[in-house]
Amino acid sequence: MGTLKPLVIGDLVAKNPVIQGGMGVGISLSSLAGAVAKAGGVGIISTAQIGFREPDFLTNPLEANLRAIGTELKKAREIAPEGIIGFNIMVATKSYASYVKKAVKAGADLIISGAGLPVSLPEYVAEAAEEAGIKLKTKIAPIVSTVKSAMVICKMWDRKYHQAPDLVVIEGPLAGGHLGFSKEDLAELGVDTDDVEHTYKQADYDEEVRGIIRLVKEYGDKYNKVIPVVTAGGIYSHEDVLHQISLGADGVQVATRFVTTVECDAPEAYKQAYINAKKEDIVITKSPVGMPGRAIKNRFLDGVGNIPFRLEHCYQCLEKCDRQTIPYCITKALVDSAEGRMEDGLIFCGSNAYKAERIETVEEVMKDLVGEK
């Protein structure tokens, strides 16, 4: 039997202190999020081009995405009526406020927001509740990677909105997808090599994590509330979870480990790409979002920068996207892999994706993470 304490976020209590990380496009939708919530964790749906399967996605991406926020949450709730289900919404998203408001009005328990600092998140959730005439129940959590970014967001929310986060997610340098670090930071921490397991300066980043936890506690004390801190990036086993708890974390956010589950929304070919990946196949790449990202090497990545790129269709996905200079379209690259075209798309993954050996169920993964046999 596991001995981990539940994760308490205000009036929300997750029996298992495990949040499933948001993965877009189309990797963590209702099936995965619902299954994780049902297994006692926190299920997170990614809003990144969430409506890519809608018939009008090409012509009306925003409407298609906003509609899908409602339908995906409804489907996840059917799987886990009593579970905790939320959304991951990237700050870099075009029409960010519209996504946040739709998630609140749809009844999300939680919004986790990164890929930029969610400076105006408290304002948008409050406006959404007011517009809908409902009591605001959606909890909000920024994703930070350094003491500096945690300080900036806590200070701004404190000064501007007289409030503190309900939860803070610390995303470390072993995470998949977009990373809150510069290329130089990643080199400094030794996580841009093909043997991250042995080159990662974990003790250095552990110190950063402790610093963020101390800072968040100060703001919790100021507002007389407990602000749980959850760590993310490279968490794959029960030992990894215990290490994070030993640093003072209240829980973990895990994404990569849930990709190779029966319930994950990704196509089988996508899951197989993780199972087939070797340690040296996992690389750092540059994204049009303007941040480094971690992904599996394939024909698509080999061609980036070598094959001339011409934008054929703009999906209105990013607030800041220079269509003339981008090396590829991030939406098209992620949709291609989400639809099973594995050599033609971008396959984001965490540093431990190569450890996947078989397809498991969400229940099995959850038990393994929390140490229940």
Side-chain angles (χ1 to χ4, degrees):
M1 184 66 193
T3 53
L4 299 178
K5 292 181 186 149
L7 177 62
V8 181
I9 313 166
D11 57 354
L12 300 174
V13 181
K15 178 171 86 79
N16 294 316
V18 177
I19 297 176
Q20 157 258 310
M23 296 172 281
V25 171
I27 309 304
S28 68
L29 297 173
S30 56
S31 176
L32 179 56
V36 170
K38 189 179 178 182
V42 178
I44 298 292
I45 298 167
S46 166
T47 64
Q49 302 297 43
I50 186 173
F52 76 104
R53 293 192 184 113
E54 296 286 311
D56 57 345
F57 176 64
L58 273 178
T59 49
N60 293 310
L62 180 61
E63 284 90 335
N65 287 336
L66 295 178
R67 190 185 321 122
I69 285 175
T71 51
E72 290 297 328
L73 182 60
K74 188 167 176 287
K75 287 195 290 189
R77 287 255 184 256
E78 283 164 9
I79 297 167
E82 304 300 313
I84 302 172
I85 300 161
F87 288 96
N88 178 296
I89 308 178
M90 293 199 310
V91 179
T93 308
K94 206 179 184 70
S95 309
Y96 172 70
S98 302
Y99 286 80
V100 169
K101 289 182 176 187
K102 178 66 189 190
V104 171
K105 291 172 185 177
D109 294 314
L110 170 69
I111 291 173
I112 295 176
S113 200
L117 284 175
V119 175
S120 305
L121 185 56
E123 185 180 331
Y124 299 152
V125 294
E127 282 174 3
E130 202 175 311
E131 288 165 15
I134 55 174
K135 185 177 183 297
L136 180 61
K137 72 176 188 78
T138 307
K139 307 286 186 283
I140 52 175
I143 298 176
V144 299
S145 294
T146 59
V147 171
K148 188 180 169 188
S149 57
M151 172 93 74
V152 168
I153 203 74
C154 286
K155 210 177 244 182
M156 288 184 101
W157 285 13
D158 175 37
R159 206 171 51 218
K160 201 170 173 191
Y161 306 110
H162 309 294
Q163 73 179 84
D166 298 306
L167 163 80
V168 171
V169 177
I170 304 176
E171 199 167 88
L174 301 184
H178 294 115
L179 303 167
F181 298 87
S182 66
K183 227 170 162 353
E184 295 69 35
D185 292 336
L186 296 173
E188 181 98 357
L189 286 164
V191 295
D192 60 347
T193 69
D194 57 10
D195 190 15
V196 171
E197 203 179 355
H198 295 109
T199 57
Y200 176 36
K201 296 174 183 164
Q202 182 154 18
D204 292 3
Y205 195 68
D206 283 354
E207 209 35 63
E208 193 78 25
V209 169
R210 289 189 190 100
I212 297 171
I213 291 171
R214 281 195 296 272
L215 174 84
V216 171
K217 189 175 182 330
E218 285 172 26
Y219 280 90
D221 291 346
K222 177 170 182 177
Y223 284 92
N224 200 21
K225 70 187 224 178
V226 176
I227 306 171
V229 176
V230 161
T231 51
I235 298 162
Y236 204 84
S237 66
H238 182 52
E239 288 66 38
D240 296 335
V241 174
L242 291 179
H243 177 71
Q244 299 303 320
I245 302 293
S246 77
L247 298 176
D250 299 286
V252 293
Q253 179 180 278
V254 176
T256 293
R257 181 79 194 268
F258 284 114
V259 170
T260 48
T261 58
V262 174
E263 298 91 340
C264 178
D265 298 88
E268 288 312 307
Y270 193 102
K271 300 174 189 182
Q272 209 51 51
Y274 274 45
I275 292 170
N276 296 341
K278 297 182 185 69
K279 197 190 280 192
E280 58 273 19
D281 295 333
I282 297 168
V283 296
I284 299 290
T285 181
K286 194 168 181 284
S287 157
V289 173
M291 307 167 96
R294 185 174 274 109
I296 295 175
K297 205 169 179 334
N298 62 355
R299 188 173 66 205
F300 167 77
L301 277 187
D302 287 340
V304 171
N306 299 320
I307 296 169
F309 172 70
R310 193 168 63 84
L311 185 69
E312 287 170 9
H313 180 83
C314 179
Y315 296 87
Q316 306 291 319
C317 64
L318 299 174
E319 194 54 69
K320 295 186 175 83
C321 175
D322 184 351
R323 299 177 202 180
Q324 307 308 313
T325 61
I326 51 169
Y328 58 91
C329 167
I330 186 97
T331 288
K332 185 173 187 322
L334 290 172
V335 168
D336 277 343
S337 58
E339 290 182 341
R341 294 182 289 281
M342 302 324 297
E343 286 301 322
D344 302 322
L346 178 61
I347 313 163
F348 273 152
C349 71
S351 64
N352 287 319
Y354 70 92
K355 291 182 179 175
E357 290 173 349
R358 62 191 176 90
I359 302 292
E360 303 172 275
T361 64
V362 162
E363 186 69 39
E364 286 170 334
V365 169
M366 187 64 82
K367 281 186 168 161
D368 186 51
L369 288 170
V370 301
E372 281 182 20
K373 289 292 167 262

